Amino acid sequence: MAQAIDLMLRGARQIVTATGSQPRAGAGLAAIEIHENAALAIDDGCILEIGPVAPMEKRYQARHTLDAEGGVIVPGFVDAHTHPVFATTREVEFEQRTQGATYTEISQAGGGILSSVRGVRGASKEELVARLLLHLDRFLDMGTTTVEAKSGYGLSLEDELKCLEVIALAGAQHPVELVPTFLGAHEFPPEFRDRRGAYVDHLVQDMLPAVAERGLAEYCDIFTEAHVFGLDDSRRILERARELGFGLRLHVDQLTPLGGAELAAELGAASADHLEFVSDHGIESLGAAGVVPVLCPLVPLYLRVEQEVPGRRMVSAGLAPALATDFNPGSCYTQSMPEVMTWAALRLRFSAAECLTASTLNAACSLGRGASVGSLEPGKRANVLILDQPDYRHLCYEFGRNPVRVVIAGGKVVRDARRS
Ligand code: NIG
Ligand code: FE
């Protein structure tokens, strides 16, 4: 007798996925599975099986069936780097940059991160939750079902806790799964401008323990750059974070070649992000330590910076990169992983298969979620997309339009654009 299940997806031209629960490195980055004439069975929130349509239809009796109408089925995207808790946008700075101002000049004139800090400090928790929920709606529209979410625009104990509580509250009422990261070391707040050492002490002695005690973040991140947190301060803060049980993520070598990648490797970080100015030695160190480089190819474009991350060199060196939007109001205001993939193809010379693995499995692994999401395999959470494209390579090839028709999160259909 056929087994009763919740949902069967069929009618896809391709079902495409990376496989496994470990990050895929080097040549393995492109080793995806492509199933044709296949169906996908979902039950109890999880993927049960992918296989040829006829035997699947014999084996299972589905309560609901969805027709992919000749489109492509892929795993829900995982965005491994975002700053989604903010109250105000910064379109003025975008225009200033198009007129020639640099990101650093704008920051030094009181704009940049500090302008978002003013907004967050003046906003209530309720207002920030409402805004974050809107952002999460857009992530979901674009097919992203898991989002790493950083604090970092509060920069006081009270305001950082507020941001992390906002992430917990919004995550509890939205289908997008959030992975919370504490980024109290994003900038020096104005009240510590002339006492930088005192802010580092405050982070180590008060803020990190308070966040740990409340269980509000899985990871601790830092902006390691000469004009913000240098290597010594970064090491001190991150060693304390590690002691307190946080996983580590770092913004490194983004604007200058400081050697942040080597620090990420030394500390055994989960990820080292940005890396536009990484050295060959930095790449080697990341490989040896198994750190996932999280690449954000839209950021240099958005900041009008020439230097781009050596993505190809990283893959040749055997690294396992993830891709991310870096969604934030300053250096990248988009929630679209398909857009990221197009630019990773054009600028980093990643193939569509490499882009897909980097935007799903590798991103999930960098967030400690490799066993539960990031691929379409039996036992994993059923986070599944139906795209209205005829071939998975269209994810890179086409841009400027959202190809995501149906989003399934935890086995439930949470978006169906075919009906709207
Ligand atoms: O990832 N590099 C530092 N932080 C962000 C930018 C944040 C902002 O400008 O508000 C980034 O690019
Ligand atoms: Fe960032």
Side-chain angles (χ1 to χ4, degrees):
M1 218 181 71
Q3 180 185 341
I5 60 165
D6 290 336
L7 181 61
M8 178 89 87
L9 307 185
R10 48 174 209 197
R13 202 163 303 201
Q14 299 172 330
I15 300 180
V16 187
T17 183
T19 55
S21 53
Q22 298 301 320
R24 292 206 153 255
L29 187 65
I32 53 171
E33 273 184 5
I34 304 176
H35 304 262
E36 285 170 0
N37 303 314
L40 190 153
I42 293 171
D43 195 46
D44 201 19
C46 291
I47 294 167
L48 208 54
E49 189 178 349
I50 301 176
V53 179
M56 290 275 282
E57 288 192 331
K58 264 207 202 113
R59 204 155 38 249
Y60 300 116
Q61 173 86 48
R63 281 180 274 278
H64 302 281
T65 300
L66 265 183
D67 184 355
E69 296 170 355
V72 174
I73 293 178
V74 293
F77 303 133
V78 178
D79 195 337
H81 182 141
T82 86
H83 308 244
V85 186
F86 53 87
T88 47
T89 52
R90 288 162 34 199
E91 59 279 13
V92 172
E93 295 175 15
F94 180 87
E95 295 230 309
Q96 288 170 340
R97 284 198 304 278
T98 64
Q99 299 309 305
T102 67
Y103 181 72
T104 318
E105 283 165 3
I106 292 169
S107 303
Q108 280 161 356
I113 294 168
L114 290 181
S115 96
S116 293
V117 170
R118 288 189 289 277
V120 161
R121 288 184 174 184
S124 69
K125 203 187 286 183
E126 293 67 32
E127 183 185 343
L128 290 170
V129 169
R131 282 182 189 277
L132 179 54
L133 287 171
L134 275 178
H135 296 316
L136 296 183
D137 281 347
R138 290 184 191 156
F139 276 114
L140 207 56
D141 290 344
M142 296 288 177
T144 301
T145 47
T146 307
V147 173
E148 186 263 3
K150 304 177 199 297
S151 66
Y153 295 126
L155 306 190
S156 68
L157 178 55
E158 185 194 344
D159 291 294
E160 283 295 306
L161 290 176
K162 175 172 78 178
C163 292
L164 291 169
E165 283 163 12
V166 164
I167 293 169
L169 287 166
Q173 51 186 297
H174 201 280
V176 168
E177 182 188 12
L178 293 180
V179 180
T181 295
F182 171 62
L183 178 54
H186 198 190
E187 227 322 349
F188 289 90
E191 60 278 17
F192 282 94
R193 194 128 209 95
D194 305 316
R195 305 179 291 136
R196 291 182 156 216
Y199 187 61
V200 175
D201 291 343
H202 184 41
L203 275 164
V204 165
Q205 289 161 9
D206 312 312
M207 293 172 86
L208 276 165
V211 174
E213 194 187 317
R214 289 166 179 74
L216 282 169
E218 292 180 32
Y219 291 93
C220 174
D221 195 346
I222 190 161
F223 191 12
T224 299
E225 254 328 306
H227 75 284
V228 238
F229 298 88
L231 292 176
D232 291 342
D233 283 344
S234 298
R235 185 180 289 104
R236 181 171 166 222
I237 293 163
L238 294 171
E239 277 178 349
R240 179 75 178 125
R242 196 173 53 181
E243 249 170 49
L244 290 165
F246 294 97
L248 307 181
R249 323 185 74 77
L250 291 80
H251 287 67
V252 282
D253 300 332
Q254 180 186 0
L255 306 170
T256 55
L258 195 66
E262 286 87 337
L263 178 65
E266 173 194 322
L267 294 169
S271 77
D273 303 35
H274 290 289
L275 296 163
E276 280 77 6
F277 285 90
V278 70
S279 66
D280 285 344
H281 181 251
I283 293 179
E284 238 173 72
S285 313
L286 293 175
V291 179
V292 172
V294 175
L295 314 183
C296 309
L298 288 172
V299 174
L301 179 77
Y302 210 78
L303 295 182
R304 295 179 34 78
V305 167
E306 299 272 312
Q307 183 86 12
E308 289 180 306
V309 71
R312 234 4 316 135
R313 232 187 310 143
M314 290 179 175
V315 177
S316 304
L319 268 56
L323 288 169
T325 57
D326 193 15
F327 173 61
N328 75 78
S331 67
C332 199
Y333 197 59
T334 184
Q335 283 135 299
S336 171
M337 287 303 292
E339 191 81 32
V340 169
M341 288 187 229
T342 294
W343 288 94
L346 289 169
R347 305 306 307 175
L348 311 188
R349 295 181 294 126
F350 279 14
S351 69
E354 291 175 326
C355 285
L356 186 67
T357 304
S359 303
T360 53
L361 181 66
N362 283 8
C365 292
S366 89
L367 297 172
R369 299 290 194 281
S372 59
V373 299
S375 66
L376 303 176
E377 292 177 280
K380 284 211 183 179
R381 196 175 147 82
N383 291 350
V384 186
L385 311 178
I386 299 177
L387 312 175
D388 69 352
Q389 293 173 319
D391 184 292
Y392 77 94
R393 286 170 292 195
H394 279 236
L395 269 173
C396 294
Y397 169 59
E398 179 179 4
F399 72 107
R401 180 186 73 92
N402 184 7
V404 177
R405 295 289 95 186
V406 176
V407 181
I408 296 165
K412 299 219 162 23
V413 177
V414 290
R415 286 287 183 280
D416 191 346
R418 302 167 319 156
R419 293 201 198 112
S420 57

